[in-house]
Amino acid sequence: MIAGSPPRRKTPAAICLIGLALGFLCIFLLLPLLTVFVEALSKGLGPFLEALAEPDALSAIRLTLLVAAIAVPLNVAFGLAASWAIAKFDFPGRSVLVTFIDLPFSVSPVVAGLVYILLFGMNGLLGPVLREYDIQIIFAVPGIVLATVFVTFPFVARELIPLMQEQGRDDEEAALSLGATGFQTFCKVTLPNIRWGLLYGVLLCNARAMGEFGAVSVVSGHLRGLTNTMPLHVEILYNEYNFVAAFAVASLLALLALVTLVVKTALEWRFSYVRQGAGS
Amino acid sequence: MITLESITKRFATFEALKSIDLKVRDGEFLALLGPSGSGKTTLLRIIAGLAFPDAGRVRFEGEDVTHLAVAQRQVGFVFQHYALFKHMTVAENVGFGLSVRPRGQLPGKTEIRKRALELLDLVQLADLGNRYPGQLSGGQRQRVALARALAVEPKLLLLDEPFGALDAKVRKDLRRWLRTLHEQMGLTSIFVTHDQDEALELADRVAVMDHGVIEQVGTPDQIYMHPHSGFVSDFVGDTNSLPVDMVGGTATFHGQSIFTHIGALAEGAARLDFRPHDVTIADDSDGCLPIVVSAAYRKGGVWRVEGQLAGKAAPIEVDIDSGAPRPQPGQRLALKIERAQIFSRQAAA
Amino acid sequence: MASLAAPAAIEGQYLDFRSPLRWRRGRKAKRPRSIIPGFGLTMGFTLAWLSLIVLIPLSLIFLRSAGMGWEAFAQVAFSPRAIAAYRISFGTALAAALVNGVFGLIIAWVFTRYTFPGRRMFDALIDLPFALPTAVAGIALTAIYANNGWLGQYLEPLGITAAYNPIGITIALIFIGLPFIVRSVEPVLIDLNVEVEEAALSLGAQPWQVFAHVIFPAIMPALLTGFALALARGVGEYGSVIFIAGNMPFESEIAPLLIVTQLEQYNYDGATAIALVMLAISFAMLLFINVVQAWSRHRTGA
């Protein structure tokens, strides 16, 4: 159990602990993942592909991609700005600002959807104004995008802030002292230093953006073919007892999760590799 | 008395220790000196029971302890980076060894605290008992680590690079203080260091290690004045090495005899080592080593002179009484070597 | 830096002579003393975006609750059905966080201390709940634990019903919360120097004493943080839970679902009141995490 006990052999206690850990992981994580694919293909490949080729499914896929394509770049821009301001300058209230940025993590997704209904809904604060100009936000794509931006808000910033703090200001000051402009410094010095961390943040942000359910469910209105994202489509199919179709769409999302995990692991390996290389 | 008998240890393909034999006398202060990778820390950990040899025996007072784990050996170990428990106060750190004793021997809480404070007094940190390690300076942490190791009343104190992480001034003060403490407590102590000054100043005896073997064991004086091998001569103190030919007991360098060795030694190619201070300036060049001064600067009470030799030999450094005028670059000097060590070429390689 | 500082100081004195008010403004303007540009731009954008997306919308919950009056607020927020929902949400989240606390610690320990075949794959798998959409997790867990499901069919004869009740909710929250514990504890276990354990052993401690006195206290703050994160996430979780929960009022209805139910009846005030209670719970949890971290920083003197 403790390093330094005579041989490096695994003690019975160690084997028990490993078995316990892996057993727990298999039952609670691996099994659900397998279930998705097995259920999706339980009636064979035909019904599986049919479920995906259905017009409502295709429009759900399109909407999900659209929402992620808007929400992720917005959060990248925010994450870069916030981490630059927080990591490169000293100002009072820095830790309060970081806490506020983290706030969406600790708010229930349902509450996240609710706040936009209170703001833009029929009886909401801006409801009458929007109705006058015939702008629809709730139960439409803009509301879905807003709710997604809210729940994925901290992902990129939270990845970049510690990274940029760790890297300090020396590189930027060196570049500026050599005559680079602020923009050049950012593009040629800062960005290459943080690119892997940025990619990591984008990856997690994207996975959550495509998979968000609670917040989007509240603001979407569940209009089939119009405001249904993939997770919402899964719910509808499931509630209609169309299990094969539900799991077929779910398996696409599970595939997305797998890709995310693989790239994430590769990035982590690369991170430690780069760090070790810099250290020696 | 601690006895190591042909201790061998390998890590995968790397042979860290090659059949080490060593005896440490009671009350002795022994240094394990060597460059990094020489196996000195591995040897210390084997003595402690933190690592175990692949072959060989460790005996304490004749008793075989080779397979006893560290907890049963009654040793105090001071780690290189102190390894203090961050979440415990200084006093709790020092008292830890007492508080984990089995039920029958477990002292009361007040007793443990009293003992911890006594030890903190001994290491001159009596006021800091309620601080956390994170609030102390490096030198203070080192002393807490020492007090913690002493709390279990070990027969043997082992220190791994005890001053390695400290800055020069603190290091010097702590060294002197540790020496006094060792004498007061009457302990047997072994410490690992890569710093020759530290080893020569502190230790009763020094074991010089290289590539998993002990090259030489002896008093600091023996090690410095009579190195047994080229490695020891090189590693301990400043040394000049010249490639020479031995002809009838006389060392010749580029055809010129420069030193006469008393004692039997094989003829042929050899290596001659001498310390910078083992030369005097001679008037004539007969039996002397001629050099051309390339630079000279003050080093304490002497001139340290860097000189070029004939041929492709590496430049040498010698010390010349600073009563004489400072040698000028380009000036020629004839050196008479007063003391030297001669090693056969094979051993030096 | 020094050459830049001098004129600014003189200017400050000069302004001070003219008007105390302008002097103060002058001093404030030079506060982010850095040659790096872009503070105004990035800070302005950060604050504006943060306010628009997060702070202003969230503040509506407080405004609207305040507008309701205490009577109306309490009638919804503390109705028997709402209180039952809080109890179920909090109770199941607590149970799941406790299970995860034990197994998460074991998993973190195993992954930082031992090598075994498949270690890398399982390590990547730990993050699955972060990457897998919650609705997918929800239907998969239901398929496993329902009475006719993969595991449920073996549990039923044993008298255990694992879906459509609080046990089902707890299972879903175990899935959601596991990585919070593991990823909080792992870095601390890695940082924990082997030397520290060896030091304890060399002082005569038994292995269990090393764990109880040295390792556990060192990871305690991280474990508490992970526990609170998992708990906070569990209380607010919706997507993975509703499929397996059964959603029976007073029995298996979670608080987020109650908000959705209120919204579907266009009872915005009711939804807002319950949301306020849940926000209060989240903020309390955030505060707890910050206090734990401040305490552990203070304790280690860092």
Side-chain angles (χ1 to χ4, degrees):
Chain A
M1 161 167 168
I2 305 291
S5 349
R8 278 241 160 176
R9 224 180 317 120
K10 278 182 200 123
T11 60
I15 292 168
C16 277
L17 286 177
I18 293 174
L20 214 54
L22 296 190
F24 190 85
L25 289 176
C26 282
I27 291 183
F28 282 95
L29 301 186
L30 194 57
L31 193 57
L33 187 62
L34 291 178
T35 306
V36 175
F37 293 103
V38 172
E39 293 283 332
L41 295 167
S42 61
K43 298 264 159 58
L45 205 57
F48 171 80
L49 292 175
E50 249 166 62
L52 295 182
E54 204 215 344
D56 286 349
L58 287 177
S59 88
I61 294 171
R62 263 197 304 275
L63 181 59
T64 295
L65 293 176
L66 174 72
V67 169
I70 299 171
V72 173
L74 282 176
N75 279 329
V76 168
F78 170 76
L80 285 173
S83 55
W84 181 271
I86 288 169
K88 304 293 177 195
F89 301 93
D90 294 311
F91 56 89
R94 228 163 26 152
S95 61
V96 177
L97 184 58
V98 174
T99 308
F100 276 140
I101 291 174
D102 273 347
L103 208 52
F105 271 157
S106 41
V107 171
S108 172
V110 171
V111 176
L114 170 68
V115 294
Y116 289 107
I117 291 188
L118 295 185
L119 194 56
F120 300 116
M122 297 276 265
N123 297 322
L125 199 63
L126 302 177
V129 184
L130 294 173
R131 204 162 20 192
E132 197 162 311
Y133 293 98
D134 203 20
I135 301 171
Q136 178 106 25
I137 289 182
I138 297 305
F139 305 142
V141 175
I144 297 174
V145 171
L146 278 173
T148 306
V149 171
F150 183 101
V151 292
T152 56
F153 192 80
F155 278 98
V156 179
R158 159 181 269 251
E159 208 54 57
L160 290 186
I161 290 169
L163 188 61
M164 273 176 61
Q165 274 174 338
E166 190 186 316
Q167 285 173 349
R169 302 162 196 180
D170 293 357
D171 289 8
E172 281 77 14
E173 284 174 353
L176 291 163
S177 76
L178 295 169
T181 64
F183 187 67
Q184 284 170 324
T185 304
F186 176 77
C187 292
K188 297 194 172 171
V189 177
T190 311
L191 213 49
N193 275 339
I194 60 168
R195 62 176 188 265
W196 298 115
L198 182 62
L199 190 53
Y200 195 94
V202 166
L203 205 66
L204 294 179
C205 182
N206 180 63
R208 182 72 193 266
M210 290 193 176
E212 178 51 29
F213 179 78
V216 170
S217 161
V218 171
V219 295
S220 128
H222 302 270
L223 301 173
R224 258 189 136 143
L226 285 177
T227 60
N228 251 358
T229 61
M230 285 167 77
L232 299 180
H233 194 58
V234 168
E235 185 201 16
I236 289 183
L237 292 170
Y238 189 85
N239 287 342
E240 288 170 350
Y241 300 100
N242 190 351
F243 293 137
V244 170
F247 278 103
V249 179
S251 71
L252 283 189
L253 289 168
L255 220 51
L256 168 77
L258 281 181
V259 170
T260 304
L261 290 184
V262 169
V263 179
K264 179 176 174 293
T265 307
L267 277 180
E268 270 164 359
W269 182 79
R270 162 113 209 179
F271 262 131
S272 60
Y273 177 75
V274 167
R275 253 180 221 160
Q276 276 167 10
S280 61
Chain B
M1 171 94 108
I2 291 143
T3 319
L4 305 181
E5 295 166 5
S6 41
I7 297 288
T8 303
K9 177 80 176 171
R10 3 173 95 253
F11 295 110
T13 57
F14 171 65
E15 208 167 9
L17 295 172
K18 300 167 192 165
S19 192
I20 299 276
D21 290 294
L22 182 67
K23 281 188 167 61
V24 187
R25 300 181 203 115
D26 287 339
E28 190 171 37
F29 205 169
L30 181 98
L32 295 175
L33 173 67
S36 64
S38 59
K40 53 193 193 306
T41 295
T42 308
L43 189 61
L44 192 75
R45 289 171 61 85
I46 285 175
I47 298 172
L50 290 168
F52 297 86
D54 298 326
R57 308 237 151 273
V58 183
R59 293 182 195 278
F60 287 5
E61 313 296 337
E63 186 195 341
D64 186 349
V65 298
T66 314
H67 298 292
L68 282 188
V70 60
Q72 281 112 47
R73 288 199 196 182
Q74 273 199 293
V75 294
F77 199 102
V78 177
F79 291 83
Q80 188 176 359
H81 303 289
Y82 323 130
L84 295 177
F85 308 130
K86 283 199 251 325
H87 60 280
M88 295 184 198
T89 64
V90 166
E92 284 165 354
N93 261 285
V94 175
F96 181 84
L98 301 175
S99 69
V100 295
R101 284 195 172 165
R103 197 143 293 191
Q105 303 156 32
L106 185 67
K109 280 231 165 87
T110 46
E111 171 67 23
I112 292 175
R113 172 127 188 123
K114 193 173 139 249
R115 187 83 188 99
L117 291 179
E118 279 170 19
L119 278 157
L120 283 174
D121 203 33
L122 179 74
V123 299
Q124 300 159 0
L125 293 175
D127 309 336
L128 301 183
N130 292 326
R131 298 267 188 96
Y132 286 96
Q135 298 163 325
L136 303 184
S137 72
Q140 290 170 332
R141 284 181 211 180
Q142 172 65 278
R143 282 184 279 163
V144 174
L146 195 63
R148 187 178 69 177
L150 293 174
V152 292
E153 293 169 358
K155 293 182 284 190
L156 173 63
L157 184 63
L158 303 169
L159 307 105
D160 185 6
E161 296 275 3
F163 312 109
L166 301 172
D167 49 32
K169 171 81 177 82
V170 182
R171 190 184 274 229
K172 197 146 197 192
D173 292 347
L174 266 182
R175 239 191 244 170
R176 202 164 301 142
W177 172 82
L178 181 63
R179 171 87 240 179
T180 328
L181 194 74
H182 168 83
E183 277 158 14
Q184 274 175 12
M185 311 264 308
L187 285 164
T188 309
S189 310
I190 304 176
F191 73 104
V192 155
T193 182
H194 64 271
D195 180 341
Q196 39 142 335
D197 290 340
E198 209 163 279
L200 297 184
E201 181 184 327
L202 274 176
D204 297 323
R205 284 198 306 153
V206 178
V208 184
M209 295 187 65
D210 185 39
H211 289 110
V213 295
I214 294 182
E215 290 271 339
Q216 186 175 359
V217 187
T219 63
D221 190 50
Q222 286 166 340
I223 298 280
Y224 188 80
M225 298 305 281
H226 305 285
H228 284 179
S229 69
F231 172 78
V232 177
S233 156
D234 240 2
F235 191 71
V236 182
D238 295 341
T239 294
N240 297 297
S241 281
L242 294 179
V244 293
D245 288 313
M246 297 302 294
V247 182
T250 297
T252 62
F253 179 68
H254 284 270
Q256 192 159 16
S257 77
I258 55 167
F259 185 72
T260 304
H261 187 76
I262 302 151
L265 203 99
E267 301 282 293
R271 168 181 151 181
L272 178 140
D273 281 20
F274 63 98
R275 306 281 185 197
H277 50 73
D278 283 341
V279 296
T280 49
I281 295 190
D283 296 329
D284 57 357
S285 57
D286 194 35
C288 289
L289 182 66
I291 64 165
V292 179
V293 175
S294 54
Y297 56 90
R298 176 169 287 284
K299 191 179 188 221
V302 294
W303 300 118
R304 171 59 62 95
V305 179
E306 289 172 22
Q308 299 289 337
L309 293 166
K312 285 181 181 165
I316 61 166
E317 292 184 329
V318 293
D319 291 342
I320 290 169
D321 184 6
S322 68
R326 174 173 163 179
Q328 295 302 309
Q331 191 180 337
R332 287 169 184 281
L333 293 176
L335 302 176
K336 177 148 181 48
I337 299 172
E338 303 285 350
R339 281 180 42 86
Q341 306 288 328
I342 291 175
F343 305 106
S344 71
R345 270 296 172 82
Q346 289 87 335
Chain C
M1 216 50 199
S3 65
L4 281 175
I10 292 164
E11 189 185 40
Q13 282 167 5
Y14 178 57
L15 290 170
D16 186 26
F17 172 72
R18 282 172 62 184
S19 146
L21 199 82
R22 288 190 60 183
W23 172 76
R24 289 193 66 158
R25 244 168 56 197
R27 199 173 61 157
K28 234 183 189 160
K30 72 177 189 194
R31 188 173 272 141
R33 274 228 150 287
S34 172
I35 64 158
I36 300 174
F39 181 72
L41 181 74
T42 55
M43 192 65 183
F45 179 64
T46 301
L47 288 180
W49 194 236
L50 180 69
S51 306
L52 278 177
I53 295 291
V54 179
L55 298 182
I56 293 173
L58 270 184
S59 66
L60 285 185
I61 301 263
F62 295 92
L63 285 177
R64 186 140 187 157
S65 299
M68 285 163 66
W70 172 251
E71 289 278 306
F73 173 81
Q75 205 182 353
V76 192
F78 302 119
S79 71
R81 188 171 165 187
I83 286 178
Y86 304 141
R87 192 178 293 149
I88 289 161
S89 276
F90 204 81
T92 52
L94 194 66
L98 285 172
V99 171
N100 277 333
V102 174
F103 282 92
L105 182 56
I106 293 174
I107 289 168
W109 176 268
V110 162
F111 277 81
T112 49
R113 292 301 153 111
Y114 307 124
T115 50
F116 46 87
R119 182 164 168 271
R120 280 212 147 182
M121 189 206 82
F122 276 105
D123 189 47
L125 189 71
I126 292 171
D127 285 325
L128 181 72
F130 286 157
L132 192 72
T134 51
V136 178
I139 61 171
L141 288 169
T142 311
I144 293 171
Y145 290 99
N147 286 344
N148 53 357
W150 291 24
L151 286 180
Q153 59 182 317
Y154 302 111
L155 293 174
E156 206 196 2
L158 304 174
I160 303 170
T161 314
Y164 311 124
N165 62 10
I167 297 178
I169 302 174
T170 308
I171 289 173
L173 296 183
I174 289 173
F175 175 88
I176 291 299
L178 183 66
F180 288 99
I181 307 261
V182 178
R183 297 302 185 216
S184 300
V185 173
E186 261 183 344
V188 186
L189 274 180
I190 291 170
D191 273 356
L192 200 65
N193 204 327
V194 182
E195 273 193 356
V196 177
E197 288 166 41
E198 288 180 346
L201 286 171
S202 80
L203 294 167
Q206 299 299 314
W208 68 266
Q209 286 175 316
V210 177
F211 183 82
H213 295 296
V214 177
I215 298 171
F216 191 71
I219 56 179
M220 191 59 185
L223 191 63
L224 271 180
T225 303
F227 182 84
L229 286 173
L231 190 62
R233 177 71 199 267
V235 170
E237 179 56 24
Y238 177 70
S240 61
V241 173
I242 51 160
F243 295 98
I244 201 173
N247 305 330
M248 293 286 293
F250 296 101
E251 276 170 32
S252 55
E253 184 180 53
I254 53 167
L257 179 66
L258 196 55
I259 296 179
V260 173
T261 314
Q262 302 290 321
L263 277 178
E264 278 167 358
Q265 296 163 2
Y266 297 100
N267 183 357
Y268 286 10
D269 282 351
T272 308
I274 297 163
L276 182 67
V277 174
M278 293 196 58
L279 271 185
I281 295 174
S282 316
F283 289 159
M285 228 92 82
L286 263 188
L287 191 68
F288 174 76
I289 293 169
N290 281 328
V291 168
V292 165
Q293 282 172 346
W295 166 69
S296 84
R297 264 200 303 276
H298 163 79
R299 216 177 42 149
T300 54

